[in-house]
Amino acid sequence: MQEVNPELVKYATLTIPGHDPIQLPVLKGTMGPEVIDIRALGKQGYFTYDPGFVSTAACSSRITFIDGPKGVLLYRGYPIDQLANKANYLQTCYLLLKGDLPTKEQYEHFEYEVKHHTLIHEQITSLFKAFRRDSHPMAIMCGIAGALSAFYHDNLDIYDPEHREKTAIRLIAKMPTLAAMAYKYSIGHPFVYPKNDLSYAGNFLHMMFATPCEDYKVNPVIERAMDKIFILHADHEQNASTSSVRLAGSSGANPYACIAAGIASLWGPAHGGANEACLRMLEQIGSIDRIPEFIARAKDKNDPFRLSGFGHRVYKAYDPRAVVMRETCHEVLNELHIKDHPILDVATELEKIALSDEYFIERNLYPNVDFYSGIILNAIGIPTSMFTVIFALARTVGWIAHWTEMQEMPESRIGRPRQIYVGKTLRQVKAMQRRKK
Ligand code: SDX
């Protein structure tokens, strides 16, 4: 079925004692639940209340569809496992941005555009030097991404489709360069410039691991695994960081500054920071015999500890990305001849125990995208502190695709949620000497 506009299918009647019944339109999209359009409620003197937006559709979108109970993830209608196994990340970027997979000619043009925007303005290299060497690379990425708006603010008309397209290309192209620079800076190595004769993933690995003393030979299995990790992280509907980008963008802010907002939100351990937190958790567990202790902690309401890499706001089944990630994990460990990887053994046993435990079963808690990704990145030699940076690199296309869609949607307006106020009622200021404790 082709894309549709939300269709009015029926009306819901809201009955509030002492108030005339309120008719609310019920809308239907291409797939997924029907939505109750509550836009008229404000004029009737009511707000809805939904902390965390558990039951709130903040926008209409054509980009990504998730069926949480069934564990389905589609990018523009294509299943994530098919894209991971039959396409590559740049084809997926084209798909997310333009709505269809590219033909050979379209792909070659798109790839040329991206490859010829991988360099960053040389002055930005000095910005890195303003950070302490031991800064968390996500702190650096927040700062540098925001700084890009200083370099492109003037020649960027967000209402000009060509400017928007150029911005998308620039961001997709430059994020790997900036991510690798954040890593190189943290280990005191010189920055490695991009090479246009390498693939997108190969170029990233090259910028991460080459040095002036010796080049880096890209291993095709590792290159493919890296590309799949980028695909699996490319977009995910209205998650916290994408919603942050949309809300920032709704004011007309510079898209580079909006991406910085997305990076900041992604950093949290409840979101993109979970891949780093998950590997540290697996290392802390250390051995299979300590798993019961951590399972008990995860179930203890008085203990803030949660199993990182487990659970999801939307998926109430196995995260389809985790399925592909687990397969890729075994491919990488086999290619690198890593036999008994202690962390993988702990992860495998932890998953098995958790999935048979009543607490996790009744709450539909399954491994998510972050559960296996850290093991792959660790095996490739990428430090734990860089895991969320790689998530941000890959998710940039999703962020900018949603930012672009919002600019193109006529219904878009500045996001301005309301609240239920529970503070002090009106009171008068007293002179200091008359105030009591
Ligand atoms: C990402 O939104 C997206 O799409 C995000 C993402 C993307 O691609 O953009 O998919 C990427 O962020 C994946 C999630 C990564 N986060 C983690 O792995 C951190 C660990 N997971 C949890 O913090 C939690 O599961 C969340 C944050 C992911 C979801 O939180 P919700 O939807 O608010 O669920 P909840 O906190 O209400 O949990 C429901 C119940 C609670 O128990 P009860 O109060 O019902 O007794 O499940 C429990 C929670 O305590 N629970 C967990 C748990 N996750 C939820 N208990 C132990 N370990 C966990 N991991």
Side-chain angles (χ1 to χ4, degrees), residues 225-236:
M226 196 76 248
D227 194 78
K228 278 188 183 178
I229 287 176
F230 291 157
I231 292 172
L232 295 174
H233 287 86
D235 192 53
H236 213 240

Side-chain angles (χ1 to χ4, degrees), residues 54 66 232-233 235-242 266 268-275 278 297-299 301 305-316 319 321 359-360 363 365 368-371 391 395:
V54 177
I66 302 173
L232 295 174
H233 287 86
D235 192 53
H236 213 240
E237 202 216 62
Q238 305 307 323
N239 59 84
S241 53
T242 300
L266 186 76
H271 189 15
N275 54 17
C278 182
R297 284 190 58 197
K299 291 155 67 170
K301 289 299 164 212
F305 173 79
R306 286 193 165 178
L307 288 187
S308 282
F310 251 82
H312 198 277
R313 170 63 59 78
V314 177
Y315 289 124
K316 300 310 168 194
D319 184 332
R321 301 168 296 178
Y359 174 92
F360 294 88
R363 290 170 178 80
L365 301 177
N368 59 47
V369 67
D370 297 308
F371 192 65
F391 194 150
R395 183 55 57 89

